[in-house]
């Protein structure tokens, strides 16, 4: 039945953060590979910074640029969380909400069957319903991370969120005028189906629990492991610089240090990490952006480690670096994309979560023995250079973590397994396509 019907047109609309746009783009490409049309929507600067769509998929994937409305306190060219400090993010959400009108006009014109959206556009479900467009709320977190929002769904509207212990950052109205909790509730409740970046082989139980919390179908779309085929662009100066340094290091000797696109380290954390890496004695490649630290101090970091390190202060090709034979371990904040990318190739984790559901991911990975969590003081939550050095040395010197991570890569990196999840998700959208209104 499904193959006789016309191909779908699906709009894909992620939140303005690379930890979101990258998995949304990965999902969009996998759907396009099955012949369906994609309209991927973001702002001009984000569209130009995202990885290129492979040539064979370009006829099916339209990249639609909607200019971001101007908002006071949001710097001129800021269009993603990576461009701003954490406290400015609410103003980015306010600007994002200003896309309501232009997006509505696009939907009225293009009349897609489905729209796959993120946690942020609380205003989109009623617009889609009026236009006869079906909605998927796609959560880029792990299913265990999604489960951490369960309090949002079980609390009665009247109860104060604080009484349910929901973290401040989620339940307070911020400068965007609404809280993350409100956004999550509206986008989840307004969708026909929830999609989760997960799979039964890793999170069978949490996926089932999410269905009872969200009170609707939750479809795992697989882990979306990114491609390991890299464009051999010999003119890529950045990559050549990085590769020259990595090639000089011994196999499995380097700690790759990166905390995603949103974490800004406090001066205290920056110092403890610097000293902890030095105490570990291992060479390191540290992706350090959004840091207030002056370049002089950064040079100290490198010099103090007797040149055993490289500090990279712009966007780094993370997947390519993780794939290099010299990388022996990944000091990570446990962002879900970073964890998936590391375990796809079997690189063990030194886990230092900072916010949101990263702590849940760290606990999940500790249970699977693919890494070591940096100990934090149970009273004030701080970590020290000593606790970091212990974690680094455990992962880099004890074979168990690497062998467990390589065992896990048989699931995380199993393209056929994750393709089956995509096939099932696309079948669902084909079978449950809306009966188009005139
Ligand atoms: C809502 C929030 O999204 C966040 O995304 P964040 O960017 O921090 O981390 P990742 O999920 O690893 O995503 C980061 C992504 O950017 C890529 N990258 C980043 C920096 C760089 O220099 N080069 C790269 O290629 C990296 O490879 C990964 O794909 C977290 O999930 C957090 O847990 C969640 O609450």
């Amino acid at each position: 039945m499904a193959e006789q019907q016309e191909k779908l047109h699906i709009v894909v609309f992620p939140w303005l953060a690379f930890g979101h746009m990258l998995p949304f783009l990965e999902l969009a490409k996998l759907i396009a590979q099955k012949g369906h049309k994609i309209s991927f929507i973001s702002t001009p600067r984000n569209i130009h910074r995202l990885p290129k769509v492979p040539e064979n998929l370009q006829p099916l994937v339209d990249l639609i640029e909607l200019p971001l409305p101007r908002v006071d306190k949001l710097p001129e060219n800021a269009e993603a969380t990576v461009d701003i400090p954490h406290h400015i993010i609410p103003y980015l959400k306010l600007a994002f909400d200003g896309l309501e009108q232009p997006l509505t006009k696009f939907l009225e014109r293009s009349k897609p069957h489905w729209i796959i959206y993120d946690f942020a556009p609380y205003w989109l479900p009623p617009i889609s319903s009026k236009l006869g467009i079906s909605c998927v709320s796609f959560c880029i977190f792990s299913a265990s991370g999604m489960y951490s929002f369960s309090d949002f769904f079980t609390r009665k509207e009247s109860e104060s969120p604080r009484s349910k212990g929901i973290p401040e950052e989620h339940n307070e109205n911020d400068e965007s005028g609404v809280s993350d909790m409100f956004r999550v509730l509206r986008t989840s409740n307004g969708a026909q189906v929830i999609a989760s970046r997960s799979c039964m082989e890793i999170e069978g139980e949490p996926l089932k629990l999410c269905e009872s919390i969200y009170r609707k179908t939750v479809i795992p779309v697989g882990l979306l492991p990114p491609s390991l085929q890299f464009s051999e662009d010999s003119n890529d100066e950045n990559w050549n610089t990085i590769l020259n340094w990595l090639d000089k290091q011994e196999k499995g000797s380097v700690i790759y240090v990166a905390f995603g696109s949103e974490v800004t380290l406090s001066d205290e954390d920056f110092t403890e990490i610097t000293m902890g890496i030095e105490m570990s004695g291992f060479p390191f490649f540290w992706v350090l952006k959004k840091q207030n630290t002056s370049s002089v101090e950064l040079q100290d970091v490198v010099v103090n480690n007797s040149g055993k390190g490289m500090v990279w202060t712009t966007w780094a090709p993370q997947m390519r670096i993780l794939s290099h034979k010299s990388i022996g371990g990944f000091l990570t904040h446990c962002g879900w994309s970073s964890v998936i990318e590391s375990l796809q190739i079997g690189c063990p984790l030194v886990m230092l979560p900072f916010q949101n559901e990263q702590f849940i991911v760290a606990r999940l990975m500790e249970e699977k023995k693919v890494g070591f969590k940096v100990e934090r003081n149970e009273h004030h939550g701080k970590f020290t250079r000593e606790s970091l050095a212990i974690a680094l040395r455990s992962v880099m010197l004890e074979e168990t973590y690497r062998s467990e991570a390589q065992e896990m890569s048989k699931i995380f990196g199993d393209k056929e397994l994750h393709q089956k999840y995509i096939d099932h998700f696309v079948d669902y959208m084909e079978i449950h396509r809306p009966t188009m209104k005139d």
Side-chain angles (χ1 to χ4, degrees):
M1 169 64 179
E3 63 276 4
Q4 285 144 20
Q5 289 178 306
E6 64 163 331
K7 287 295 185 186
L8 295 171
H9 175 204
I10 301 166
V11 166
V12 175
F13 184 50
W15 160 237
L16 305 174
F18 277 87
H20 291 243
M21 290 186 282
L22 290 169
F24 268 75
L25 183 59
E26 203 62 36
L27 178 62
K29 293 188 304 189
L30 290 164
I31 295 171
Q33 269 169 9
K34 296 177 73 70
H36 299 288
K37 178 170 169 45
I38 295 282
S39 294
F40 185 94
I41 298 185
S42 192
T43 63
R45 191 164 174 235
N46 290 338
I47 293 286
H48 297 145
R49 290 188 285 183
L50 283 166
K52 290 274 165 287
V53 171
E55 265 188 41
N56 65 311
L57 295 179
Q58 286 174 12
L60 282 167
V61 180
D62 282 349
L63 300 172
I64 309 294
E65 300 179 12
L66 296 184
L68 193 64
R70 294 305 323 135
V71 160
D72 197 16
K73 294 204 176 81
L74 185 66
E76 186 62 35
N77 63 352
E79 296 188 13
T81 55
V82 70
D83 302 321
I84 50 178
H86 195 264
H87 69 281
I88 299 292
I89 288 179
Y91 299 101
L92 183 65
K93 286 178 185 162
L94 198 53
F96 175 84
D97 291 340
L99 295 174
E100 177 177 345
Q101 285 311 319
L103 178 64
T104 303
K105 285 197 172 31
F106 176 81
L107 295 176
E108 286 166 344
R109 245 190 352 265
S110 59
K111 298 190 186 313
H113 297 94
W114 290 88
I115 182 161
I116 302 177
Y117 57 55
D118 213 323
F119 80 96
Y122 65 92
W123 35 265
L124 190 47
I127 295 168
S128 306
S129 161
K130 190 163 73 63
L131 296 174
I133 301 167
S134 291
C135 300
V136 178
S137 177
F138 176 37
C139 186
I140 52 111
F141 305 142
S142 62
S144 312
M146 285 169 67
Y147 183 61
S148 69
F149 287 124
S150 58
D151 279 351
F152 291 8
F153 296 87
T154 48
R155 184 181 58 79
K156 293 184 203 59
E157 281 308 314
S158 56
E159 268 179 66
S160 103
R162 204 167 287 111
S163 67
K164 295 291 293 176
I166 297 174
E168 287 305 315
E169 75 229 45
H170 285 314
N171 67 69
E172 290 296 288
N173 283 358
D174 59 32
E175 289 74 2
S176 72
V178 290
S179 65
D180 283 351
M181 179 176 73
F182 183 80
R183 293 177 185 273
V184 168
L185 282 171
R186 281 297 169 91
T187 48
S188 308
N189 293 335
Q192 276 71 28
V193 64
I194 308 282
S196 170
R197 187 187 184 185
S198 191
C199 60
M200 295 301 285
E201 290 76 7
I202 298 287
E203 293 192 290
E205 201 46 43
L207 280 164
K208 284 197 203 89
L209 285 171
C210 284
E211 287 214 324
S212 58
I213 295 155
Y214 287 78
R215 292 194 291 275
K216 62 184 63 177
T217 305
V218 174
I219 299 186
V221 297
L223 295 175
L224 311 176
S227 161
L228 297 179
Q229 307 298 322
F230 306 116
S231 63
E232 291 310 323
D233 171 7
S234 56
N235 302 326
D236 183 340
E237 270 174 51
N238 282 339
W239 175 240
N240 290 335
T241 307
I242 294 169
L243 188 58
N244 287 338
W245 188 84
L246 290 175
D247 282 348
K248 293 193 185 89
Q249 315 306 320
E250 276 179 49
K251 186 171 183 299
S253 68
V254 176
I255 301 166
Y256 174 62
V257 183
F259 301 113
S261 63
E262 295 187 6
V263 168
T264 302
L265 298 172
S266 66
D267 289 347
E268 183 184 7
D269 284 350
F270 171 74
T271 304
E272 290 310 302
I273 292 170
T274 305
M275 302 315 290
I277 293 173
E278 183 170 356
M279 286 171 74
S280 76
F282 293 102
F284 62 91
F285 186 100
W286 188 351
V287 182
L288 189 54
K289 301 188 301 300
K290 293 173 72 173
Q291 206 52 36
N292 318 328
T293 317
S294 72
S295 55
V296 170
E297 284 164 288
L298 285 186
Q299 288 320 315
D300 288 353
V301 167
V302 179
V303 169
N304 289 347
N305 285 276
S306 58
K308 285 173 71 176
M310 176 175 261
V311 178
W312 195 260
T313 55
T314 57
W315 189 261
Q318 176 157 300
M319 217 39 250
R320 295 189 85 165
I321 296 167
L322 280 169
S323 308
H324 193 275
K325 63 182 183 339
S326 67
I327 303 296
F330 181 4
L331 173 52
T332 173
H333 68 317
C334 298
W336 193 224
S337 291
S338 290
V339 166
I340 289 168
E341 290 159 10
S342 192
L343 293 180
Q344 175 184 345
I345 46 172
C347 178
L349 307 169
V350 182
M351 300 181 280
L352 185 58
F354 286 94
Q355 64 192 36
N356 299 342
E357 91 301 333
Q358 295 161 14
F359 290 93
I360 293 170
V361 172
R363 205 164 43 244
L364 178 67
M365 292 303 128
E366 208 176 22
E367 284 161 14
K368 297 192 185 299
K369 302 185 175 39
V370 292
F372 190 109
K373 198 164 73 172
V374 177
E375 199 182 317
R376 286 175 179 267
N377 179 292
E378 61 187 81
H379 302 299
H380 50 65
K382 290 188 190 316
F383 64 92
T384 63
R385 60 193 72 178
E386 290 81 7
S387 66
L388 177 60
I390 288 166
L392 288 168
R393 294 183 66 78
S394 300
V395 168
M396 296 297 277
L397 299 175
E398 291 168 33
E399 189 45 39
T400 176
Y401 298 109
R402 171 158 293 279
S403 53
E404 289 295 339
Q406 283 173 352
E407 194 56 29
M408 199 54 79
S409 71
K410 292 174 188 163
I411 295 176
F412 276 71
D414 183 343
K415 294 280 186 191
E416 274 173 43
L417 169 71
H418 299 299
Q419 184 57 50
K420 286 198 188 80
Y421 282 100
I422 292 292
D423 295 346
H424 173 251
F425 175 54
V426 173
D427 285 350
Y428 181 94
M429 290 197 287
E430 286 190 285
I431 294 162
H432 296 88
R433 71 175 69 207
T435 45
M436 295 301 277
K437 290 177 183 167
D438 298 336

